[in-house]
Amino acid sequence: MHLDLADESSIQAAAQTIEAGYGRLDVLINNAAVILEADPQNAGLTTRQRFEQTFVPNLFGQVGVTEAMLPLLRKVNGDSVPRIVFMSSRLGSLANALDPRARFYETDFRSYNCSKAALNVLALNYARMLDDVGGLVNVVCLGLVKTRLSGYNEAGYTPDVGAERIVEMAAIGKGGPTKTFSDKKGEIQW
């Protein structure tokens, strides 16, 4: 299935494919991000352009996907509950933004940080919207992972280790935690 976060018709087609094939969606994992500030090829972008190009995948695309999948998530029944896991970053934590001891405090990733802070608030809104059906919506920080996003940074976790917390949160059952922000070590302050 092709899914392009910048293309509403692609998002709608993905939702229709899932509905036709399965009738519902139990778990949605929103994992999309760019850090334009980290790539020297983007040095010519204005600040506004960086923000616009960052918010499309990091926030707007995830709004589109989640909205398209929401009716399918609401169809979950039986012993299961709908679950959404949003991939965010400690860099989107307001508490982290205020801590001069934080690892990337001096690093200028403004558009990325703002997009992830907005994503955190978005996740809490979807949690509220799914309260009536017992939905579980959580936010996970993968940490530094050796992927294209981090430039395959050698200090990062391997992708399988990075995914552990995602899998844990995607697999929680009825009555499990919701409205949390965490990484593999535990809770992160919003």
Side-chain angles (χ1 to χ4, degrees):
M1 166 185 338
H2 173 77
L3 179 58
D4 179 349
L5 295 179
D7 179 3
E8 188 63 30
S9 63
S10 167
I11 293 170
Q12 292 304 319
Q16 290 167 1
T17 299
I18 293 168
E19 184 169 30
Y22 304 98
R24 69 172 201 262
L25 181 64
D26 294 350
V27 179
L28 173 62
I29 298 174
N30 277 310
N31 182 21
V34 295
I35 303 178
L36 298 181
E37 292 94 343
D39 187 344
Q41 290 181 325
N42 297 314
L45 295 175
T46 66
T47 301
R48 181 186 177 109
Q49 289 170 326
R50 274 198 314 276
F51 270 79
E52 289 172 344
Q53 291 178 30
T54 297
F55 269 68
V56 169
N58 294 13
L59 184 70
F60 304 150
Q62 295 189 48
V63 169
V65 169
T66 306
E67 284 295 315
M69 301 302 168
L70 208 52
L72 298 173
L73 286 160
R74 289 187 156 283
K75 290 182 178 182
V76 172
N77 55 36
D79 290 334
S80 190
V81 292
R83 286 150 289 158
I84 304 175
V85 182
F86 286 91
M87 298 310 100
S88 187
S89 170
R90 191 176 288 276
L91 296 177
S93 159
L94 297 181
N96 192 69
L98 294 169
D99 184 356
R101 297 165 298 161
R103 182 174 181 187
F104 292 102
Y105 182 79
E106 296 294 334
T107 306
D108 184 12
F109 287 159
R110 276 178 286 165
S111 64
Y112 179 79
N113 297 0
C114 291
S115 72
K116 291 302 182 176
L119 184 72
N120 293 348
V121 173
L122 179 71
L124 293 174
N125 276 275
Y126 282 115
R128 175 188 46 79
M129 292 167 66
L130 288 171
D131 272 344
D132 64 323
V133 292
L136 306 174
V137 180
N138 293 288
V139 178
V140 172
C141 171
L142 303 178
L144 185 62
V145 180
K146 293 179 193 176
T147 63
R148 188 174 70 189
L149 182 70
S150 73
Y152 301 98
N153 190 313
E154 283 302 314
Y157 299 115
T158 59
D160 59 323
V161 172
E164 289 174 357
R165 186 67 177 163
I166 301 167
V167 173
E168 287 174 16
M169 297 312 284
I172 57 178
K174 227 178 225 183
T178 190
K179 301 175 187 162
T180 68
F181 183 19
S182 64
D183 64 12
K184 61 187 289 157
K185 296 175 185 173
E187 294 290 317
I188 296 173
Q189 290 184 326
W190 293 99

